[in-house]
Amino acid sequence: MTDEDLMRAVRDGDLPQLGVLFDRYHVPLFDFLSRMIGNAAAAEDLVQDVFVRILKYRATYRDEGRFETWLFRIARNARADYFRTRPRSEPLGGEALERPSPGAGPARQLEEERERQRLRCALLRLREDKRELIVLARYRGMKLDQIAALLDVDVGTVKVRLHRAVRELRDIFLGLSDEASSCDVKTSTRSLQTT
Amino acid sequence: MRCEDVHPFLADYLTGVAPAAVADHLRTCASCATEAAALRETWQRLGELPADRPDTPAMRSRFDALLAEHERRVSGVPRQVHAGPAGLRQTPVWRGRFVVQAGLAAAATLVLGVVLGRQTARPAAPDPQLAELRQELRDMRQMVTLSLMQQQSASERLKGVSWTGQIDQPGNEVVTALLDTLMHDPNVNVRLASVDALRRFASRDAVRRGAVDALPKQSSPMVQIALVDFLIEESGRESAATLRGLADDPMVDATVRARAQWGLQHVGM
């Protein structure tokens, strides 16, 4: 069954079908949320939140567009509520990355790990709406027109803002010192569009 | 193609679908080529950042518990306390010190449930021992519920809120905990669940007052709407002043203002 068929079944009362959707999407949701908030445990809780909201508001599912777009719209709202209840710029602490390149010597491995940590911190320091564009395009693999539909803006806007977001990310990355060990998650009340 | 015309297409360039004209321009313009290369390098580095891995078995277990609880509430069927290992396997993964405390309490609750089940299978007769066992079971359920509502995980707090519905004649501590959750829990779904759970105690003045106090302090429009509905159903005209304040406040979400206005009409104000 397609995602849309499954969600229609859930909407119409066949709740166990939501388990199939959970199996298909809990990892992509977790990946999106953990990259957005920089906290794996909180991301797991937020995934649960998303499915609670799906159950509660399943009657609002419409046969328009892709299920994935509707699902990530709910995830964005759940994530936005999460940030609304946390203090701004609460340091979460970058989780150590422990996957150096195979075959590299110890010094090179250490350098690679430091660079990955810097980039991870830079991503978390990027303003939330810009980070979201990068996460959706780079990690979720969403096409730009799909991102535009999710954010309810035109695709041209997505292209311009994604370009600027990557450029700004690079500037932040280059400006971070090696001693940056804790990552302040940048939150913002401004977003491209909240649905 | 001019440089300023290329910029909107650099996102396409990163995602690998840029028009041929962009590639042509980059071959002839050193400045744009340098920027494109820098962006491409950052894009590739991003791909090298490993993903955190979720604890899928634990997440699936929590989801199954969520679904089961939701189906139970929808069907109105009371939760069955299962005896023995099968019942214990239903419990989600709990962390830290709470694992020991709640595990012991849950095991004791299950044992008491089995004992009561066997007792009630016999023809009824006034039995002080039975009454005492019932009280102990209530106390333990209440303890487990209140403990769940204090946990760090929103899923566990949500479970705690939903478990309040299974406590026969809950004490004031449960109502107080629900009101506290409504006012202070950081998770919107937990607060929404607390509104549902508080309906059972809507006849109590403290609960209606608590709902009135909580309404203007909520940040989530969904919780505000749930509270508006609660007050309309449970307080009627008594809530008119609060609803009027909400309907007239320009800082309040438009959907919430509309609901408050509808509520005023519904109670005849």
Side-chain angles (χ1 to χ4, degrees), chain B residues 156-181:
Chain B
E156 286 161 10
R157 297 198 304 277
L158 188 64
K159 181 174 280 292
V161 170
S162 67
W163 275 25
T164 62
Q166 300 164 44
I167 302 174
D168 185 31
Q169 297 170 20
N172 288 332
E173 312 95 299
V174 172
V175 177
T176 302
L178 284 171
L179 286 171
D180 186 68
T181 296

PDB file of all heavy atoms in Angstrom, chain B residues 156-181:
ATOM      1  N   GLU B 156       6.659   9.302  28.589  1.00  0.00           N
ATOM      2  CA  GLU B 156       6.313   8.717  29.886  1.00  0.00           C
ATOM      3  C   GLU B 156       5.369   9.627  30.662  1.00  0.00           C
ATOM      4  O   GLU B 156       4.457   9.146  31.346  1.00  0.00           O
ATOM      5  CB  GLU B 156       7.601   8.413  30.655  1.00  0.00           C
ATOM      6  CG  GLU B 156       8.302   7.176  30.061  1.00  0.00           C
ATOM      7  CD  GLU B 156       9.767   7.066  30.421  1.00  0.00           C
ATOM      8  OE1 GLU B 156      10.218   7.844  31.281  1.00  0.00           O
ATOM      9  OE2 GLU B 156      10.450   6.223  29.837  1.00  0.00           O
ATOM     10  N   ARG B 157       5.556  10.930  30.536  1.00  0.00           N
ATOM     11  CA  ARG B 157       4.625  11.842  31.209  1.00  0.00           C
ATOM     12  C   ARG B 157       3.237  11.705  30.588  1.00  0.00           C
ATOM     13  O   ARG B 157       2.207  11.734  31.281  1.00  0.00           O
ATOM     14  CB  ARG B 157       5.106  13.283  31.112  1.00  0.00           C
ATOM     15  CG  ARG B 157       6.439  13.535  31.810  1.00  0.00           C
ATOM     16  CD  ARG B 157       6.681  15.022  32.087  1.00  0.00           C
ATOM     17  NE  ARG B 157       6.608  15.857  30.906  1.00  0.00           N
ATOM     18  CZ  ARG B 157       7.607  16.041  30.055  1.00  0.00           C
ATOM     19  NH1 ARG B 157       8.760  15.410  30.236  1.00  0.00           N
ATOM     20  NH2 ARG B 157       7.468  16.844  29.018  1.00  0.00           N
ATOM     21  N   LEU B 158       3.213  11.513  29.272  1.00  0.00           N
ATOM     22  CA  LEU B 158       1.930  11.323  28.579  1.00  0.00           C
ATOM     23  C   LEU B 158       1.244  10.064  29.069  1.00  0.00           C
ATOM     24  O   LEU B 158       0.034  10.041  29.305  1.00  0.00           O
ATOM     25  CB  LEU B 158       2.194  11.240  27.073  1.00  0.00           C
ATOM     26  CG  LEU B 158       0.976  11.236  26.160  1.00  0.00           C
ATOM     27  CD1 LEU B 158       0.236  12.550  26.281  1.00  0.00           C
ATOM     28  CD2 LEU B 158       1.419  11.034  24.715  1.00  0.00           C
ATOM     29  N   LYS B 159       2.025   9.016  29.242  1.00  0.00           N
ATOM     30  CA  LYS B 159       1.459   7.767  29.757  1.00  0.00           C
ATOM     31  C   LYS B 159       0.914   7.988  31.163  1.00  0.00           C
ATOM     32  O   LYS B 159      -0.157   7.507  31.512  1.00  0.00           O
ATOM     33  CB  LYS B 159       2.518   6.677  29.759  1.00  0.00           C
ATOM     34  CG  LYS B 159       2.011   5.326  30.268  1.00  0.00           C
ATOM     35  CD  LYS B 159       3.051   4.235  30.116  1.00  0.00           C
ATOM     36  CE  LYS B 159       3.099   3.703  28.702  1.00  0.00           C
ATOM     37  NZ  LYS B 159       1.892   2.962  28.338  1.00  0.00           N
ATOM     38  N   GLY B 160       1.661   8.726  31.972  1.00  0.00           N
ATOM     39  CA  GLY B 160       1.199   8.996  33.332  1.00  0.00           C
ATOM     40  C   GLY B 160      -0.128   9.728  33.336  1.00  0.00           C
ATOM     41  O   GLY B 160      -1.043   9.376  34.093  1.00  0.00           O
ATOM     42  N   VAL B 161      -0.258  10.725  32.476  1.00  0.00           N
ATOM     43  CA  VAL B 161      -1.518  11.470  32.409  1.00  0.00           C
ATOM     44  C   VAL B 161      -2.663  10.546  32.007  1.00  0.00           C
ATOM     45  O   VAL B 161      -3.739  10.570  32.600  1.00  0.00           O
ATOM     46  CB  VAL B 161      -1.395  12.647  31.415  1.00  0.00           C
ATOM     47  CG1 VAL B 161      -2.754  13.275  31.147  1.00  0.00           C
ATOM     48  CG2 VAL B 161      -0.439  13.703  31.956  1.00  0.00           C
ATOM     49  N   SER B 162      -2.423   9.693  31.019  1.00  0.00           N
ATOM     50  CA  SER B 162      -3.509   8.813  30.566  1.00  0.00           C
ATOM     51  C   SER B 162      -3.854   7.768  31.625  1.00  0.00           C
ATOM     52  O   SER B 162      -4.995   7.343  31.742  1.00  0.00           O
ATOM     53  CB  SER B 162      -3.147   8.151  29.241  1.00  0.00           C
ATOM     54  OG  SER B 162      -2.083   7.255  29.412  1.00  0.00           O
ATOM     55  N   TRP B 163      -2.873   7.354  32.421  1.00  0.00           N
ATOM     56  CA  TRP B 163      -3.138   6.365  33.480  1.00  0.00           C
ATOM     57  C   TRP B 163      -4.028   6.917  34.583  1.00  0.00           C
ATOM     58  O   TRP B 163      -4.629   6.149  35.333  1.00  0.00           O
ATOM     59  CB  TRP B 163      -1.821   5.879  34.075  1.00  0.00           C
ATOM     60  CG  TRP B 163      -1.194   4.758  33.322  1.00  0.00           C
ATOM     61  CD1 TRP B 163      -1.375   4.454  31.994  1.00  0.00           C
ATOM     62  CD2 TRP B 163      -0.284   3.787  33.822  1.00  0.00           C
ATOM     63  NE1 TRP B 163      -0.623   3.365  31.660  1.00  0.00           N
ATOM     64  CE2 TRP B 163       0.061   2.925  32.751  1.00  0.00           C
ATOM     65  CE3 TRP B 163       0.282   3.565  35.082  1.00  0.00           C
ATOM     66  CZ2 TRP B 163       0.943   1.862  32.900  1.00  0.00           C
ATOM     67  CZ3 TRP B 163       1.161   2.495  35.221  1.00  0.00           C
ATOM     68  CH2 TRP B 163       1.477   1.662  34.154  1.00  0.00           C
ATOM     69  N   THR B 164      -4.112   8.235  34.733  1.00  0.00           N
ATOM     70  CA  THR B 164      -4.973   8.779  35.790  1.00  0.00           C
ATOM     71  C   THR B 164      -6.410   8.322  35.590  1.00  0.00           C
ATOM     72  O   THR B 164      -7.182   8.219  36.548  1.00  0.00           O
ATOM     73  CB  THR B 164      -4.924  10.321  35.817  1.00  0.00           C
ATOM     74  OG1 THR B 164      -5.422  10.840  34.571  1.00  0.00           O
ATOM     75  CG2 THR B 164      -3.527  10.838  36.074  1.00  0.00           C
ATOM     76  N   GLY B 165      -6.774   8.009  34.326  1.00  0.00           N
ATOM     77  CA  GLY B 165      -8.132   7.567  34.047  1.00  0.00           C
ATOM     78  C   GLY B 165      -8.437   6.174  34.586  1.00  0.00           C
ATOM     79  O   GLY B 165      -9.586   5.760  34.640  1.00  0.00           O
ATOM     80  N   GLN B 166      -7.395   5.447  34.978  1.00  0.00           N
ATOM     81  CA  GLN B 166      -7.616   4.088  35.462  1.00  0.00           C
ATOM     82  C   GLN B 166      -7.649   4.003  36.976  1.00  0.00           C
ATOM     83  O   GLN B 166      -7.851   2.927  37.533  1.00  0.00           O
ATOM     84  CB  GLN B 166      -6.480   3.201  34.976  1.00  0.00           C
ATOM     85  CG  GLN B 166      -6.372   3.148  33.464  1.00  0.00           C
ATOM     86  CD  GLN B 166      -5.034   2.601  33.053  1.00  0.00           C
ATOM     87  OE1 GLN B 166      -4.569   1.621  33.624  1.00  0.00           O
ATOM     88  NE2 GLN B 166      -4.404   3.255  32.108  1.00  0.00           N
ATOM     89  N   ILE B 167      -7.420   5.128  37.635  1.00  0.00           N
ATOM     90  CA  ILE B 167      -7.391   5.096  39.099  1.00  0.00           C
ATOM     91  C   ILE B 167      -8.802   5.314  39.616  1.00  0.00           C
ATOM     92  O   ILE B 167      -9.427   6.324  39.325  1.00  0.00           O
ATOM     93  CB  ILE B 167      -6.450   6.190  39.656  1.00  0.00           C
ATOM     94  CG1 ILE B 167      -5.044   6.003  39.100  1.00  0.00           C
ATOM     95  CG2 ILE B 167      -6.430   6.133  41.176  1.00  0.00           C
ATOM     96  CD1 ILE B 167      -4.103   7.120  39.478  1.00  0.00           C
ATOM     97  N   ASP B 168      -9.264   4.333  40.360  1.00  0.00           N
ATOM     98  CA  ASP B 168     -10.595   4.420  40.931  1.00  0.00           C
ATOM     99  C   ASP B 168     -10.554   5.358  42.133  1.00  0.00           C
ATOM    100  O   ASP B 168      -9.766   5.169  43.046  1.00  0.00           O
ATOM    101  CB  ASP B 168     -11.021   3.009  41.360  1.00  0.00           C
ATOM    102  CG  ASP B 168     -12.453   2.985  41.860  1.00  0.00           C
ATOM    103  OD1 ASP B 168     -13.260   3.789  41.363  1.00  0.00           O
ATOM    104  OD2 ASP B 168     -12.743   2.163  42.751  1.00  0.00           O
ATOM    105  N   GLN B 169     -11.354   6.395  42.142  1.00  0.00           N
ATOM    106  CA  GLN B 169     -11.397   7.389  43.228  1.00  0.00           C
ATOM    107  C   GLN B 169     -10.007   7.949  43.531  1.00  0.00           C
ATOM    108  O   GLN B 169      -9.435   7.715  44.604  1.00  0.00           O
ATOM    109  CB  GLN B 169     -11.972   6.757  44.510  1.00  0.00           C
ATOM    110  CG  GLN B 169     -13.421   6.308  44.333  1.00  0.00           C
ATOM    111  CD  GLN B 169     -13.884   5.479  45.519  1.00  0.00           C
ATOM    112  OE1 GLN B 169     -13.293   5.535  46.602  1.00  0.00           O
ATOM    113  NE2 GLN B 169     -14.934   4.713  45.323  1.00  0.00           N
ATOM    114  N   PRO B 170      -9.416   8.649  42.572  1.00  0.00           N
ATOM    115  CA  PRO B 170      -8.066   9.188  42.811  1.00  0.00           C
ATOM    116  C   PRO B 170      -8.071  10.267  43.875  1.00  0.00           C
ATOM    117  O   PRO B 170      -9.067  10.958  44.080  1.00  0.00           O
ATOM    118  CB  PRO B 170      -7.687   9.777  41.451  1.00  0.00           C
ATOM    119  CG  PRO B 170      -8.984  10.060  40.799  1.00  0.00           C
ATOM    120  CD  PRO B 170      -9.961   9.043  41.292  1.00  0.00           C
ATOM    121  N   GLY B 171      -6.927  10.396  44.537  1.00  0.00           N
ATOM    122  CA  GLY B 171      -6.797  11.397  45.583  1.00  0.00           C
ATOM    123  C   GLY B 171      -6.575  12.784  44.989  1.00  0.00           C
ATOM    124  O   GLY B 171      -6.393  12.949  43.785  1.00  0.00           O
ATOM    125  N   ASN B 172      -6.566  13.785  45.904  1.00  0.00           N
ATOM    126  CA  ASN B 172      -6.346  15.161  45.458  1.00  0.00           C
ATOM    127  C   ASN B 172      -4.977  15.344  44.804  1.00  0.00           C
ATOM    128  O   ASN B 172      -4.786  16.240  43.984  1.00  0.00           O
ATOM    129  CB  ASN B 172      -6.469  16.127  46.641  1.00  0.00           C
ATOM    130  CG  ASN B 172      -7.907  16.282  47.083  1.00  0.00           C
ATOM    131  OD1 ASN B 172      -8.832  16.136  46.284  1.00  0.00           O
ATOM    132  ND2 ASN B 172      -8.105  16.561  48.365  1.00  0.00           N
ATOM    133  N   GLU B 173      -4.027  14.466  45.198  1.00  0.00           N
ATOM    134  CA  GLU B 173      -2.682  14.609  44.615  1.00  0.00           C
ATOM    135  C   GLU B 173      -2.726  14.431  43.097  1.00  0.00           C
ATOM    136  O   GLU B 173      -1.972  15.070  42.357  1.00  0.00           O
ATOM    137  CB  GLU B 173      -1.696  13.557  45.178  1.00  0.00           C
ATOM    138  CG  GLU B 173      -1.711  13.437  46.680  1.00  0.00           C
ATOM    139  CD  GLU B 173      -2.631  12.310  47.128  1.00  0.00           C
ATOM    140  OE1 GLU B 173      -3.859  12.367  46.849  1.00  0.00           O
ATOM    141  OE2 GLU B 173      -2.117  11.374  47.745  1.00  0.00           O
ATOM    142  N   VAL B 174      -3.589  13.562  42.611  1.00  0.00           N
ATOM    143  CA  VAL B 174      -3.670  13.315  41.167  1.00  0.00           C
ATOM    144  C   VAL B 174      -4.220  14.547  40.460  1.00  0.00           C
ATOM    145  O   VAL B 174      -3.701  14.977  39.428  1.00  0.00           O
ATOM    146  CB  VAL B 174      -4.561  12.088  40.879  1.00  0.00           C
ATOM    147  CG1 VAL B 174      -4.804  11.941  39.392  1.00  0.00           C
ATOM    148  CG2 VAL B 174      -3.918  10.825  41.442  1.00  0.00           C
ATOM    149  N   VAL B 175      -5.278  15.128  41.030  1.00  0.00           N
ATOM    150  CA  VAL B 175      -5.870  16.324  40.419  1.00  0.00           C
ATOM    151  C   VAL B 175      -4.860  17.466  40.433  1.00  0.00           C
ATOM    152  O   VAL B 175      -4.690  18.173  39.440  1.00  0.00           O
ATOM    153  CB  VAL B 175      -7.154  16.727  41.170  1.00  0.00           C
ATOM    154  CG1 VAL B 175      -7.717  18.009  40.579  1.00  0.00           C
ATOM    155  CG2 VAL B 175      -8.170  15.619  41.092  1.00  0.00           C
ATOM    156  N   THR B 176      -4.171  17.618  41.548  1.00  0.00           N
ATOM    157  CA  THR B 176      -3.152  18.668  41.645  1.00  0.00           C
ATOM    158  C   THR B 176      -2.063  18.453  40.615  1.00  0.00           C
ATOM    159  O   THR B 176      -1.602  19.402  39.954  1.00  0.00           O
ATOM    160  CB  THR B 176      -2.531  18.684  43.061  1.00  0.00           C
ATOM    161  OG1 THR B 176      -3.574  18.892  44.017  1.00  0.00           O
ATOM    162  CG2 THR B 176      -1.500  19.786  43.197  1.00  0.00           C
ATOM    163  N   ALA B 177      -1.638  17.193  40.443  1.00  0.00           N
ATOM    164  CA  ALA B 177      -0.589  16.893  39.471  1.00  0.00           C
ATOM    165  C   ALA B 177      -1.058  17.191  38.046  1.00  0.00           C
ATOM    166  O   ALA B 177      -0.293  17.703  37.224  1.00  0.00           O
ATOM    167  CB  ALA B 177      -0.169  15.423  39.593  1.00  0.00           C
ATOM    168  N   LEU B 178      -2.310  16.886  37.758  1.00  0.00           N
ATOM    169  CA  LEU B 178      -2.831  17.177  36.415  1.00  0.00           C
ATOM    170  C   LEU B 178      -2.887  18.685  36.157  1.00  0.00           C
ATOM    171  O   LEU B 178      -2.542  19.147  35.066  1.00  0.00           O
ATOM    172  CB  LEU B 178      -4.227  16.565  36.256  1.00  0.00           C
ATOM    173  CG  LEU B 178      -4.262  15.049  36.033  1.00  0.00           C
ATOM    174  CD1 LEU B 178      -5.696  14.539  36.111  1.00  0.00           C
ATOM    175  CD2 LEU B 178      -3.637  14.675  34.697  1.00  0.00           C
ATOM    176  N   LEU B 179      -3.327  19.436  37.146  1.00  0.00           N
ATOM    177  CA  LEU B 179      -3.379  20.894  36.978  1.00  0.00           C
ATOM    178  C   LEU B 179      -1.973  21.459  36.820  1.00  0.00           C
ATOM    179  O   LEU B 179      -1.744  22.359  36.003  1.00  0.00           O
ATOM    180  CB  LEU B 179      -4.084  21.535  38.178  1.00  0.00           C
ATOM    181  CG  LEU B 179      -5.605  21.349  38.221  1.00  0.00           C
ATOM    182  CD1 LEU B 179      -6.167  21.819  39.558  1.00  0.00           C
ATOM    183  CD2 LEU B 179      -6.273  22.103  37.079  1.00  0.00           C
ATOM    184  N   ASP B 180      -1.046  20.930  37.572  1.00  0.00           N
ATOM    185  CA  ASP B 180       0.342  21.379  37.470  1.00  0.00           C
ATOM    186  C   ASP B 180       0.903  21.068  36.083  1.00  0.00           C
ATOM    187  O   ASP B 180       1.606  21.882  35.470  1.00  0.00           O
ATOM    188  CB  ASP B 180       1.183  20.694  38.561  1.00  0.00           C
ATOM    189  CG  ASP B 180       2.592  21.238  38.600  1.00  0.00           C
ATOM    190  OD1 ASP B 180       2.760  22.407  38.980  1.00  0.00           O
ATOM    191  OD2 ASP B 180       3.523  20.502  38.234  1.00  0.00           O
ATOM    192  N   THR B 181       0.552  19.894  35.578  1.00  0.00           N
ATOM    193  CA  THR B 181       0.991  19.504  34.238  1.00  0.00           C
ATOM    194  C   THR B 181       0.401  20.447  33.194  1.00  0.00           C
ATOM    195  O   THR B 181       1.101  20.885  32.276  1.00  0.00           O
ATOM    196  CB  THR B 181       0.551  18.056  33.939  1.00  0.00           C
ATOM    197  OG1 THR B 181       1.213  17.182  34.850  1.00  0.00           O
ATOM    198  CG2 THR B 181       0.864  17.648  32.516  1.00  0.00           C
TER     199      THR B 181
END
